[in-house]
Amino acid sequence: MRRGNYKFLQKFSWYVPGVGGMFGLLAWLLVGALLGGIAMLILQATAGQEAAAEYGNLLSYPIMFIPPMLYASARSSVMAMDNGGYKLDSNHFFPLGGLICSMLVVLGTLATAFWAELVGSLLPEMPSVLKEALEGLTSGNILLNFIAVSLFAPFFEEWLCRGMVLRGLLTRTRMKPFWAILVSAVFFAIIHMNPWQAIPAFILGCLFGYVYYKTGSLKLTMLMHFTNNTFALICGHIDAIKDMETWHDVITGPSYWILIAASVLITVLVALTLSRVRLEHPEGNMDPVPSIFESNEV
């Protein structure tokens, strides 16, 4: 963990939150959401409604995660002196290798997102206000949306939901992996704040969590999150499909159901293939790190 790419994530290694810490992080996230909302209002008052609509997410979204990150960093710095921790990002890919794992998780993400949409479509029609807000994330300025949707969201949300919450549930509470993955997926769903996003987020969160448990790689779950969000962003800029409610609107007849069945099968096969990754630690493949005191002794 000495390379510069990992120094930012390294500072959180010694804070391993339990269930109480998970709710603490959620509380700080809500504080951040309030601060982000205030920042949006200030932007709107100073630059106008149009500028707020175009640049608001770039401002408010990172602000939302500042309080939980500062809290986790401060707790980690205090605990690092006397307590060991666990890396947020490890590299357990044997015997498949990093490249094969990367290809598998991208394929698995796209397949799972396809059939998860069918589950979400069982909900009542989305309110028009929420629909317009979500469409704004994928159909506005593509560069600004790419930064917010494809870069910010995978980084910040994976840091929180897998790097902090799931890592803590697996290594501190020693919750059984099935339940830890399930709880972290529920947490992931909750932070999306509405059921139309929460249901697909929960399903994808289960897959993301399983990948993190097996590999310890936050890079892989960020890649999965990036894949899902970027695919949605691309679809939002293709005229032929950008107004569809579900894929059933553009893929009709038996072809749709064949693709649903195929996508479920792909998800299962990807999970089964990833199950071959050797588990170095029974609580999950997050590498332990010693306390600062122990490191200095060595």
Side-chain angles (χ1 to χ4, degrees):
M1 291 263 305
R2 293 185 179 180
R3 288 186 294 174
N5 292 345
Y6 300 107
K7 286 183 179 179
F8 179 79
L9 294 176
Q10 183 180 8
K11 69 172 67 176
F12 303 102
S13 298
W14 293 274
Y15 179 49
V16 186
V19 175
M22 177 180 71
F23 285 106
L25 288 168
L26 181 59
W28 282 112
L29 186 70
L30 293 174
V31 171
L34 177 61
L35 294 176
I38 293 172
M40 281 277 285
L41 291 175
I42 294 173
L43 178 63
Q44 183 175 335
T46 55
Q49 179 67 39
E50 186 175 338
E54 190 164 7
Y55 297 100
N57 281 322
L58 292 182
L59 177 66
S60 63
Y61 191 81
I63 288 175
M64 182 169 66
F65 285 86
I66 289 175
M69 282 187 156
L70 290 176
Y71 171 75
S73 178
R75 289 293 307 275
S76 184
S77 296
V78 171
M79 300 177 78
M81 299 306 297
D82 301 308
N83 298 276
Y86 292 87
K87 293 180 181 180
L88 273 70
D89 184 67
S90 303
N91 299 291
H92 292 272
F93 308 125
F94 182 82
L96 300 178
L99 179 59
I100 295 298
C101 285
S102 298
M103 294 169 63
L104 283 171
V105 300
V106 167
L107 179 62
T109 298
L110 293 173
T112 304
F114 186 81
W115 64 260
E117 182 193 67
L118 174 64
V119 179
S121 70
L122 300 177
L123 291 171
E125 186 176 355
M126 186 184 300
S128 58
V129 173
L130 178 60
K131 184 178 179 181
E132 290 174 7
L134 294 178
E135 286 177 350
L137 294 175
T138 57
S139 60
N141 183 296
I142 191 167
L143 177 59
L144 298 179
N145 287 345
F146 178 80
I147 295 171
V149 171
S150 298
L151 299 182
F152 282 174
F155 178 80
F156 288 115
E157 292 179 17
E158 291 309 307
W159 169 84
L160 177 62
C161 298
R162 257 59 64 178
M164 299 305 296
V165 171
L166 181 55
R167 181 176 60 101
L169 293 175
L170 287 169
T171 61
R172 180 174 177 179
T173 69
R174 300 301 172 100
M175 189 179 290
K176 289 186 180 298
F178 174 84
W179 293 110
I181 291 168
L182 205 66
V183 170
S184 67
V186 170
F187 185 94
F188 184 48
I190 288 172
I191 68 171
H192 284 81
M193 309 289 272
N194 68 81
W196 292 271
Q197 285 182 291
I199 289 177
F202 170 76
I203 295 170
L204 285 167
C206 289
L207 180 62
F208 293 0
Y210 179 69
V211 169
Y212 190 64
Y213 164 70
K214 290 295 294 185
T215 67
S217 176
L218 206 62
K219 294 186 296 292
L220 279 189
T221 65
M222 288 179 181
L223 172 64
M224 297 167 80
H225 206 140
F226 170 86
T227 298
N228 178 69
N229 289 12
T230 303
F231 184 72
L233 180 62
I234 291 171
C235 290
H237 284 81
I238 297 176
D239 291 337
I241 60 176
K242 67 180 182 181
D243 294 324
M244 70 177 185
E245 296 290 335
T246 70
W247 282 105
H248 203 188
D249 295 337
V250 293
I251 305 172
T252 58
S255 297
Y256 175 75
W257 298 106
I258 291 171
L259 287 173
I260 287 289
S263 64
V264 172
L265 179 61
I266 290 171
T267 298
V268 172
L269 291 175
V270 166
L272 288 174
T273 305
L274 288 170
S275 70
R276 295 174 53 200
V277 173
R278 187 167 66 192
L279 204 61
E280 302 289 346
H281 312 289
E283 67 274 12
N285 272 332
M286 284 68 67
D287 292 333
V289 293
S291 66
I292 299 298
F293 179 76
E294 291 172 325
S295 298
N296 291 338
E297 279 190 332
V298 174

